[in-house]
Amino acid sequence: MEELLLLIFNIVWVFVVGFKGNEWAWQKGDYQDVETFKAVQATWNRAGLVQFIVAIVIFVLYMFVFASLVTSLINGNY
């Protein structure tokens, strides 16, 4: 039960941070002006996109290896 609550919280938290992240960064940051803030956020956005793509690639590779392993076990090629 605790795992389910944690999963739900994590999914909700992703959206909360997505919607409120820039506002929190602006409030807590020490930026000279709006342009500087936007430049810093653009850098973080690119880093987040790269991280997301890497995670998807790793997931696809993991699923490929898992499928290959299951196929080998089913066919008796171990």
Side-chain angles (χ1 to χ4, degrees), residues 4-63:
L4 178 62
L5 290 175
L6 186 60
L7 175 65
I8 292 169
F9 175 78
N10 283 336
I11 291 170
V12 170
W13 188 247
V14 166
F15 290 103
V16 170
V17 171
F19 288 123
K20 300 290 285 182
N22 282 340
E23 180 182 336
W24 293 338
W26 176 256
Q27 291 172 352
K28 298 293 181 183
D30 184 24
Y31 301 101
Q32 299 167 349
D33 53 22
V34 175
E35 290 78 26
T36 303
F37 173 75
K38 287 183 178 182
V40 169
Q41 290 305 304
T43 301
W44 281 109
N45 287 339
R46 282 190 299 275
L49 180 62
V50 168
Q51 189 271 337
F52 178 74
I53 291 169
V54 167
I56 294 297
V57 168
I58 289 172
F59 178 75
V60 168
L61 290 174
Y62 176 79
M63 293 308 291

